[in-house]
Amino acid sequence: MTLLYELLDETMDFGYPQITAIEAVRLYITLGTAKAPVEEQDVGQLTSQITGIVDWRREGLRYRKNEVYIDVLESVNLLMGANGNILRNECSGQVVMRTQLSGMPECKFALNDKLNMDREAASGKQSAEDKKRRTVEIDDCTFHRCVRLGKFDSERTITFIPPDGEFELMRYRVSDNIKLPFRLIPAIQEEGKSKVTFNVKVTAQFDADKSATDVVVKVPVPPNTARTNIKVGAGRAKFEPDQKAIVWRIKRFPGGAEFMLQAEVDLMQTTRAKAWSRPPISFNFNVSMFTSSGVYVRYLRVYDKSGYHANRWVRYITRAGQYQIRI
């Protein structure tokens, strides 16, 4: 309870937020009666962090290896009609960074944003490599509070002094020219009131040098299902009564591959005849080093007065959001 009182006392002042940076609060909170010894240098850091403009990063950080890890994580949302028409298709993404940088470096970060690259092309600053690459029109984006929004509005450049450790730099959304990682073609036929046959074909639409993992396809079946006879070209599939679906799991799905599920479902006789509502097929997957939106990291430049070199590591992961196909 004492800790809660201290948190409220330091983060709020007359009902207004005062200190919201976690690192600054962590240094300032004394954990109730168990007070940690505070050195004079720490007191100076506390003062600069509380009153300064960069309260999300401590001064005096030193690392033997200066490294930055960048994860571009995307979720693909798809709703496809039973006739094959796409009813909704968009991609939401986030850029997560983990920094181990010495000092107080300034970073400049850029994606293949269409507005930024068109501006560089008009001013003659665009490289020959960038001219050959695809641009992406980002609909909207939000940033971590370390990003200088004034420079982004005027120059379309993402400039910031990064927090130490892991943080989410930005979120974005793309709704045009989405490349779907999987194509699913279902064929369901009801044979009277006693049997339903399923033929589901899944095709990976990404390059052969990539692969998807943890692929799960949930094919709904009527609630009065009695028995199933299932055949699959890869992975394992079984009827799970609690989910009222045939669940098809594939650990690894190579790019360009195509697999088929065939199932015969025997139905129990019911006293009340009720039409099957046919819920949509749902899809889950993870694809590494692939983005459905086409977004990629153009560069990350690190500037520090000491002039050290920072290693950069970039990883792309695309996951299924609400990936559904009506039947």
Side-chain angles (χ1 to χ4, degrees):
M1 185 61 71
T2 305
L3 176 60
L4 292 177
Y5 281 133
E6 288 200 19
L7 282 171
L8 291 173
D9 185 50
E10 300 303 334
T11 57
M12 304 293 291
D13 191 8
F14 293 100
Y16 294 96
Q18 182 182 22
I19 306 173
T20 56
I22 296 176
E23 292 300 324
V25 173
R26 185 176 293 155
L27 288 172
Y28 204 75
I29 292 297
T30 58
L31 297 179
T33 57
K35 295 185 178 181
V38 180
E39 299 180 0
E40 292 184 3
Q41 184 179 0
D42 294 334
V43 174
Q45 289 180 356
L46 284 173
T47 305
S48 63
Q49 285 190 23
I50 294 169
T51 61
I53 57 172
V54 185
D55 61 346
W56 54 84
R57 184 179 180 88
R58 291 189 294 115
E59 293 184 0
L61 292 172
R62 292 291 181 267
Y63 288 98
R64 293 182 61 185
K65 289 185 179 181
N66 293 286
E67 297 178 321
V68 181
Y69 298 87
I70 306 170
D71 285 342
V72 180
L73 311 174
E74 289 194 344
S75 295
V76 188
N77 300 311
L78 170 71
L79 179 59
M80 182 176 290
N83 56 0
N85 293 332
I86 294 177
L87 305 177
R88 182 173 66 93
N89 186 19
E90 66 175 15
C91 184
S92 58
Q94 57 182 148
V95 179
V96 178
M97 300 182 69
R98 183 162 64 89
T99 62
Q100 297 176 354
L101 299 174
S102 303
M104 294 289 285
E106 182 177 87
C107 299
K108 287 190 176 181
F109 178 80
L111 302 172
N112 55 329
D113 178 21
K114 187 177 187 300
L115 287 177
N116 188 19
M117 295 182 71
D118 288 349
R119 182 176 295 181
E120 290 182 1
S123 61
K125 297 180 180 179
Q126 193 174 37
S127 65
E129 185 179 355
D130 282 339
K131 289 180 181 179
K132 300 176 184 178
R133 291 186 171 181
R134 172 190 169 188
T135 61
V136 175
E137 188 171 348
I138 298 176
D139 293 333
D140 55 67
C141 50
T142 57
F143 297 102
H144 188 276
R145 63 194 186 95
C146 67
V147 176
R148 297 176 180 173
L149 298 179
K151 279 198 172 184
F152 180 77
D153 292 336
S154 60
E155 304 174 12
R156 202 70 181 181
T157 59
I158 302 173
T159 307
F160 59 98
I161 296 175
D164 185 48
E166 185 172 321
F167 67 101
E168 183 183 277
L169 177 65
M170 64 177 292
R171 287 176 178 260
Y172 62 88
R173 185 174 63 87
V174 179
S175 57
D176 290 333
N177 300 318
I178 304 297
K179 184 178 180 182
L180 297 176
F182 286 97
R183 184 186 180 193
L184 190 146
I185 302 176
I188 291 91
Q189 183 176 359
E190 297 185 42
E191 300 179 5
K193 298 180 180 180
S194 60
K195 188 176 182 181
V196 181
T197 59
F198 294 83
N199 290 282
V200 180
K201 182 170 69 173
V202 180
T203 306
Q205 300 188 128
F206 45 88
D207 296 337
D209 59 342
K210 301 175 178 61
S211 61
T213 57
D214 301 325
V215 178
V216 179
V217 184
K218 293 183 181 179
V219 183
V221 296
N224 58 329
T225 297
R227 290 187 303 273
T228 58
N229 182 16
I230 307 168
K231 296 180 181 178
V232 292
R236 294 182 177 180
K238 66 176 183 177
F239 169 56
E240 297 188 4
D242 57 333
Q243 301 196 39
K244 298 179 182 179
I246 296 172
V247 182
W248 182 15
R249 293 181 172 87
I250 304 174
K251 290 185 177 180
R252 183 178 177 275
F253 203 123
E258 181 179 284
F259 298 124
M260 179 83 80
L261 176 144
Q262 296 176 316
E264 293 183 354
V265 176
D266 295 330
L267 306 178
M268 294 183 292
Q269 296 294 328
T270 58
T271 56
R272 294 182 180 181
K274 187 177 180 181
W276 179 35
S277 60
R278 292 199 175 199
I281 297 174
S282 62
F283 215 125
N284 286 311
F285 54 81
N286 290 306
V287 186
S288 299
M289 304 309 293
F290 171 84
T291 57
S292 289
S293 65
V295 164
Y296 65 86
V297 177
R298 291 174 58 207
Y299 61 78
L300 173 67
R301 297 168 184 161
V302 180
Y303 303 96
D304 188 75
K305 58 184 179 181
S306 62
Y308 60 76
H309 173 75
N311 296 320
R312 305 158 185 85
W313 312 92
V314 184
R315 180 175 61 171
Y316 302 92
I317 300 177
T318 296
R319 301 166 179 165
Q322 290 185 342
Y323 208 92
Q324 297 180 338
I325 296 89
R326 292 178 178 174
I327 57 178

